[in-house]
Amino acid sequence: MSDILQTLQKRILVLDGAMGTMLQRYNFSEEDFRGERFKDYPSSLKGNNDLLSLTQPQAIAEIHKLYFEAGADIVETNTFSGTTIAMADYNMEDLVYELNYESAKIAKQVANEFSNANPEKPRFVAGSIGPTNKTASMSPDVNKPEYRAITFDELRVAYKQQVEALVDGGVDVLLVETIFDTLNAKAALFAIEEVKEERQIEIPIMVSGTITDASGRTLSGQTVEAFLASISHIPLLSVGFNCALGAEQLKPYLQRLSRETEFYTSAHPNAGLPNAFGEYDQTAQQMQVLIEDYLQDGLINIIGGCCGTNPEHIKAIADVAKKHKPRETKVYP
């Protein structure tokens, strides 16, 4: 933990861009997703990006490498859907430990290569913990408002399994991200604290919520300040926002967050808003201008990209991040 803390005190850290955007470039077929090991698997597997850590590990390593080459200090593991809850879509719950462990190992290996080549610029791996496809605080059925598709305890158990595998695989940080329901995030944070206590370890935690639209709230209805209040009982490395919005739309919420919290702050916005075809058109240069606005205003300690961003975006962000001082915070003198 001390390594990443020391680095954060000196400069703005750059997080990588989107994994899914990069994987689309490979145009993997159903057969590619299956590989030799799963060629007779009864379920369709195309779209299970986390599985590619087992069937196409060289592609995952290559993507991490491209982001580090672009100037990223931190890459995220390919584990956004790495829980039994999300993997149930593919009947692959039994593979969860292996998927997380191998994904962490691939990312850590690439990070070590870059750190060893340039010890002045240590590289880090964040274990990506996604929100799952279920929500603990809202009903998926408008006619049964009291119904819940999942309980806090089921989430806690699933997240704990993911966290243990990520830690065993060697991640430096745990990133609970794309939070649309804070109750899900609280289950993940509870699971992390359990693992830390049982193993007597310290590992830094990043938390990143998602403001879903112009209302300035998360999907479960929380404002920036309410979201912050409900997760600040845990000593976090950073708190921030990612996904749903582009850099321009996200800025007012980051201003509020930066003003209210003493934790380090992070942001990894999308490359603008999607067009009519669901694609992202914002260029690296356009995004760079918007991100520089954040940095000039001293809002950010960790900056990266989400949907639609690629190594070109990250390089443009890294280039401007070098020129600015990180946001000051009282928690870590």
Side-chain angles (χ1 to χ4, degrees), residues 2 55 74 145 189 244 296:
S2 60
T55 55
I74 309 167
L189 293 169
Q296 282 167 342

Side-chain angles (χ1 to χ4, degrees), residues 256-294:
R256 284 161 57 185
L257 181 76
S258 177
R259 201 167 53 234
E260 294 292 328
T261 187
E262 293 187 341
F263 297 132
Y264 287 124
T265 52
S266 75
H268 49 297
N270 293 346
L273 295 173
N275 62 24
F277 304 102
E279 290 159 355
Y280 295 86
D281 302 322
Q282 195 171 76
T283 65
Q285 286 65 39
Q286 289 168 329
M287 193 170 181
Q288 183 186 50
V289 172
L290 297 167
I291 294 295
E292 187 149 30
D293 253 10
Y294 291 6

Side-chain angles (χ1 to χ4, degrees), residues 5-311:
L5 260 179
Q6 283 168 358
T7 313
L8 267 170
Q9 282 155 22
K10 293 179 204 156
R11 59 190 175 85
I12 294 165
L13 291 191
V14 177
L15 191 65
D16 62 2
M19 175 62 77
T21 300
M22 293 299 288
L23 287 172
Q24 280 168 9
R25 294 183 176 186
Y26 288 85
N27 212 8
F28 285 133
S29 64
E30 176 73 35
E31 286 64 40
D32 295 325
F33 272 88
R34 288 173 176 272
E36 191 54 36
R37 179 172 166 188
F38 301 102
K39 67 173 200 257
D40 299 323
Y41 207 78
S43 312
S44 168
L45 300 178
K46 192 173 178 182
N48 186 355
N49 285 352
D50 294 29
L51 181 63
L52 295 170
S53 294
L54 303 185
T55 55
Q56 303 291 338
Q58 68 292 345
I60 304 301
E62 197 173 79
I63 291 167
H64 291 322
K65 187 167 176 262
L66 287 170
Y67 279 126
F68 279 138
E69 283 171 351
D73 298 288
I74 309 167
V75 297
E76 298 174 54
T77 53
N78 179 38
T79 54
F80 187 79
S81 302
T83 54
T84 48
I85 297 157
M87 280 295 141
D89 286 356
Y90 301 97
N91 300 309
M92 285 195 150
E93 296 95 322
D94 293 349
L95 282 171
V96 160
Y97 183 90
E98 188 185 356
L99 286 171
N100 283 280
Y101 178 76
E102 290 301 327
S103 294
K105 243 172 66 174
I106 292 166
K108 191 64 183 166
Q109 204 169 343
V110 181
N112 285 342
E113 283 167 25
F114 277 82
S115 294
N116 294 337
N118 182 5
E120 292 298 299
K121 186 177 163 75
R123 309 300 178 104
F124 304 101
V125 173
S128 171
I129 299 171
T132 82
N133 47 9
K134 299 206 165 136
T135 166
S137 64
M138 293 183 296
S139 171
D141 184 348
V142 72
N143 298 312
K144 290 173 73 182
E146 78 289 356
Y147 173 70
R148 296 292 178 271
I150 193 122
T151 66
F152 182 92
D153 214 44
E154 285 167 333
L155 283 163
R156 178 190 64 81
V157 170
Y159 279 129
K160 189 174 179 188
Q161 187 181 9
Q162 181 175 27
V163 168
E164 286 173 333
L166 289 170
V167 169
D168 290 346
V171 301
D172 303 292
V173 188
L174 292 166
L175 169 58
V176 182
E177 65 167 314
T178 322
I179 298 160
F180 55 82
D181 182 349
T182 311
L183 195 54
N184 286 37
K186 284 169 90 77
L189 293 169
F190 193 96
I192 293 168
E193 291 303 306
E194 270 192 312
V195 173
K196 281 167 64 177
E197 203 174 309
E198 284 170 16
R199 297 186 175 205
Q200 296 291 292
I201 57 167
E202 273 307 318
I203 186 162
I205 307 164
M206 295 171 65
V207 164
S208 186
T210 294
I211 299 291
T212 44
D213 56 33
S215 71
R217 293 171 181 265
T218 63
L219 190 66
S220 53
Q222 284 188 312
T223 61
V224 170
E225 294 78 9
F227 168 69
L228 185 60
S230 57
I231 50 150
S232 292
H233 59 292
I234 286 188
L236 302 174
L237 179 73
S238 69
V239 61
F241 292 117
N242 75 292
C243 208
L245 303 175
E248 187 177 7
Q249 296 81 15
L250 196 58
K251 187 177 178 187
Y253 310 117
L254 286 170
Q255 286 170 321
R256 284 161 57 185
L257 181 76
S258 177
R259 201 167 53 234
E260 294 292 328
T261 187
E262 293 187 341
F263 297 132
Y264 287 124
T265 52
S266 75
H268 49 297
N270 293 346
L273 295 173
N275 62 24
F277 304 102
E279 290 159 355
Y280 295 86
D281 302 322
Q282 195 171 76
T283 65
Q285 286 65 39
Q286 289 168 329
M287 193 170 181
Q288 183 186 50
V289 172
L290 297 167
I291 294 295
E292 187 149 30
D293 253 10
Y294 291 6
L295 308 181
Q296 282 167 342
D297 292 354
L299 300 180
I300 288 294
N301 301 100
I302 302 169
I303 185 75
C306 203
C307 305
T309 59
N310 58 42

